[in-house]
Structures are given as C-alpha cells and as structure tokens.
Amino acid sequence: MQISKGVEWAAHAAVLLSALPTGRGLKAEALARYHSVPGPYMAKQMQALSKAGIVQTARGKHGGYRLARPAGEITLWDIMTAIEGSKSAFTCTEIRQNGPCGATPEQCRKKCAIAAAFHAAEVAFRESLQAISLVEIAAGVAADSPRKHLRNVGAWLEKEAVAIG
Amino acid sequence: MQISKGVEWAAHAAVLLSALPTGRGLKAEALARYHSVPGPYMAKQMQALSKAGIVQTARGKHGGYRLARPAGEITLWDIMTAIEGSKSAFTCTEIRQNGPCGATPEQCRKKCAIAAAFHAAEVAFRESLQAISLVEIAAGVAADSPRKHLRNVGAWLEKEAVAIG
Ligand code: FES
Ligand code: FES
C-alpha cells in the first residue's frame, strides 16, 4: 500500500501557495525550483490539483497558480485524492461467492465482514486527513521554523510571485 | 493507494482455518479449491502467512495448514502486513530540505507537519484493523449466512480436513 511521491510534492506546493498574498501566483516552474524537483513532474502534480479544483491558473501571460479556495477549506485528503484518485485501497472481489460452498448473490447483499472492516479502517484514515487543512499545516511548518528561515521564504516569494487577475 | 488482492484471499483462508477443529488442517490446494482461485497464487499467500507466524504447516505427509495461534490473537492488521509488508504508505523524502529556502537538517529533527499528519492517519487505519480479530470476522460471516450454508461449509471441512500433528 503506497502513496505516490507526488502527494508530498503537491502538499508542499499547496502550503507554499497558501503563503501568497491575494492577487499573486507562482508558476509551476518556480514551484519546482523552490522544491528543487524536476519541472515536468511538478507541473503534472499542479495539473492534477487544478483538475480537482484545488488550485487555479490565472489567465494572462504569467500563468501563475494560486489556491482556488481558502486554505482552511483545503484538506490533506483533498490533496491526496487529487493526486491518487479516491478509489478504495481494499478491493473486494466477492471471493465468498466462489467455489463449492459459495454464497449466493442474495446472501451477499450486505458487505462481507472482511470488506466492511477494511472499509471502516479506510474511513478512519480519510477522516484523519480530512481534519487537517492547509491552515493547520502552514501553522505547523511555521512553528517548526526559525524566524530567519521564514524571512528567507518571504523574500523568495516576493521575488518570484507573479501578478494574477 | 492499493491493497493487493492477495489480502482478501489470505483473510478468507485464515477465517476458514479458524473453523477447523484442533488437530486438523487444510492443504493450500484445498484452500484454493474452496475459494476457486489459482492454486499457486493461494500457495504464495499461505507461505506469506506462514512466514509471518500466522499459520503453520504440520510435519508429515499431509502438510496441511492450521492457525499458529488462537483466532482471537490474529487481527486483520496482522494478515494485511503479512501480505503487504508494514512499510508506511506515505514516504517523506524530506523535500523541505531542498532548494533555495531549504531547511537545515537541524531544523528537521521533528517530522514535517505534512508527514506527521499522514502518519497519524496511518495510525488510525492500523488501529482500526488491529481491533478486529478472526473471531469477530468469523462471527460476522456466520451471522450473515443462512444455517444451510454453514452446514455445507461444515460438511466440506469434514471431508477435506487432514489430520496434523
Ligand atoms: S468477499 Fe471480498 S472481502 Fe469477503
Ligand atoms: S518534508 Fe516530507 S512531507 Fe514535508
């Protein structure tokens, strides 16, 4: 059971975008440079976030990304499913209906106890990520960073942010 | 994020083994036939369960499998990790240390807020599966099955179970 590396990248990019003042955006290229990761792969994550309605690109020549809604309304679950899809991790193939003692479809209207237990575990996982928005993450990152580091980030954003409509 | 199909197979096989009387086992071939799945692939899951100490093969010519400990002490988490391994789903590559504003390793002694949130979600997932043992699963399956179906399963087990030491 693996979550793709793109989720870490997309989450960090979204946290950085949450620090931008209104009317400003960052190009995918700048996001890649900030995180020192390959441009095309970062661009792919940003397109997935855009498709999921988490970020939007401004019209105009600069084409910067900004968050599409307030940071407090974007959870880590939104970001993960934008990149990974929201298919269940556990797939039940109804194996209980197979073989010499297979249950009939009528006996299988309720989810199998095994599938139900995995479903409950996935709900717990989802609810945990849904409880954390970009606001909490940004606050956590800021609390862990020395003031000098935050000043560097601020200066970098000032230099790289593009005006968006 | 996907859980392999083998987990469904292994969980169902383990539930079936939990219905055996003491001193009896089932061959991998019979487990495959019961679930109508390919023998070699079922054998592979049983070997993984055996390696994880969840089932054991008896010595002797029959070589049947039985549970290695009481069903109440085998959780769905044990079965899943026997098949999938217990590596975290989320991998943090310490992307925060990259780029023009990268944090120093000293600033990164604590887990990144993003990695910490995924870790917490995985703990919730794990604890949910750890709360369900084969006893609960078997009770759930039995509660959902008509008595005639349970009699069929009992008769099949009587026919197929091999004596083990
Ligand atoms: S039939 Fe799919 S998990 Fe039981
Ligand atoms: S540095 Fe890896 S998740 Fe933040």
Side-chain angles (χ1 to χ4, degrees):
Chain A
M1 190 169 89
Q2 286 303 300
I3 296 171
S4 81
K5 219 164 52 180
V7 173
E8 183 190 19
W9 298 20
H12 272 273
V15 170
L16 190 61
L17 292 182
S18 79
L20 284 172
T22 318
R24 299 250 138 189
L26 281 173
K27 296 186 192 187
E29 175 274 316
L31 286 163
R33 205 157 17 88
Y34 182 89
H35 296 101
S36 193
V37 295
Y41 194 47
M42 179 56 96
K44 202 182 136 205
Q45 312 312 322
M46 296 314 293
Q47 280 151 22
L49 290 182
S50 172
K51 218 174 135 188
I54 293 170
V55 300
Q56 54 190 199
T57 22
R59 271 173 269 175
K61 58 178 176 170
H62 294 309
Y65 281 102
R66 65 171 166 206
L67 297 182
R69 50 182 199 264
E73 290 166 25
I74 298 171
T75 71
L76 274 187
W77 174 254
D78 299 330
I79 290 173
M80 186 187 122
T81 52
I83 306 300
E84 292 268 311
S86 54
K87 209 174 155 287
S88 293
F90 183 82
T91 310
C92 169
T93 64
E94 286 293 332
I95 193 178
R96 62 182 166 171
Q97 297 188 32
N98 291 357
C101 304
T104 63
E106 295 75 52
Q107 288 162 18
C108 295
R109 289 220 188 87
K110 243 177 86 184
K111 243 193 187 91
C112 163
I114 293 167
F118 276 99
H119 179 72
E122 291 193 53
V123 168
F125 178 82
R126 186 188 73 210
E127 288 179 347
S128 181
L129 291 179
Q130 282 176 331
I132 310 265
S133 77
L134 291 182
V135 167
E136 281 87 47
I137 296 290
V141 169
D144 292 344
S145 306
R147 218 173 316 162
K148 182 161 167 286
H149 179 253
L150 296 175
R151 270 202 307 272
N152 286 346
V153 176
W156 186 90
L157 282 175
E158 194 124 334
K159 186 161 60 84
E160 297 286 342
V162 293
I164 55 179
Chain B
M1 188 168 91
Q2 287 304 300
I3 296 171
S4 81
K5 218 162 53 179
V7 173
E8 183 189 19
W9 299 21
H12 272 272
V15 169
L16 190 62
L17 292 182
S18 79
L20 285 172
T22 317
R24 300 251 139 190
L26 281 172
K27 296 186 194 185
E29 174 276 314
L31 285 163
R33 205 159 15 89
Y34 181 89
H35 296 102
S36 193
V37 295
Y41 195 48
M42 179 56 96
K44 203 183 134 203
Q45 312 314 321
M46 297 313 293
Q47 279 151 22
L49 290 181
S50 172
K51 220 174 135 189
I54 293 171
V55 300
Q56 54 190 198
T57 22
R59 270 172 270 178
K61 58 178 176 168
H62 294 307
Y65 281 103
R66 67 171 166 207
L67 297 182
R69 50 182 198 264
E73 290 166 26
I74 298 171
T75 71
L76 275 187
W77 175 254
D78 297 330
I79 290 173
M80 184 185 123
T81 52
I83 306 300
E84 293 268 312
S86 54
K87 209 174 154 287
S88 292
F90 182 82
T91 309
C92 170
T93 65
E94 285 293 332
I95 192 179
R96 62 182 166 170
Q97 297 187 30
N98 291 356
C101 304
T104 63
E106 295 74 52
Q107 287 161 18
C108 296
R109 290 221 187 86
K110 244 177 87 186
K111 246 193 186 91
C112 164
I114 294 167
F118 277 99
H119 179 73
E122 291 192 54
V123 168
F125 178 82
R126 185 189 74 210
E127 288 178 349
S128 181
L129 291 179
Q130 282 176 331
I132 312 266
S133 80
L134 291 182
V135 167
E136 281 89 46
I137 296 290
V141 169
D144 293 343
S145 307
R147 216 170 322 161
K148 182 162 166 286
H149 180 252
L150 295 175
R151 271 203 306 273
N152 286 347
V153 176
W156 186 89
L157 282 175
E158 196 125 332
K159 185 160 60 82
E160 298 287 343
V162 293
I164 55 180

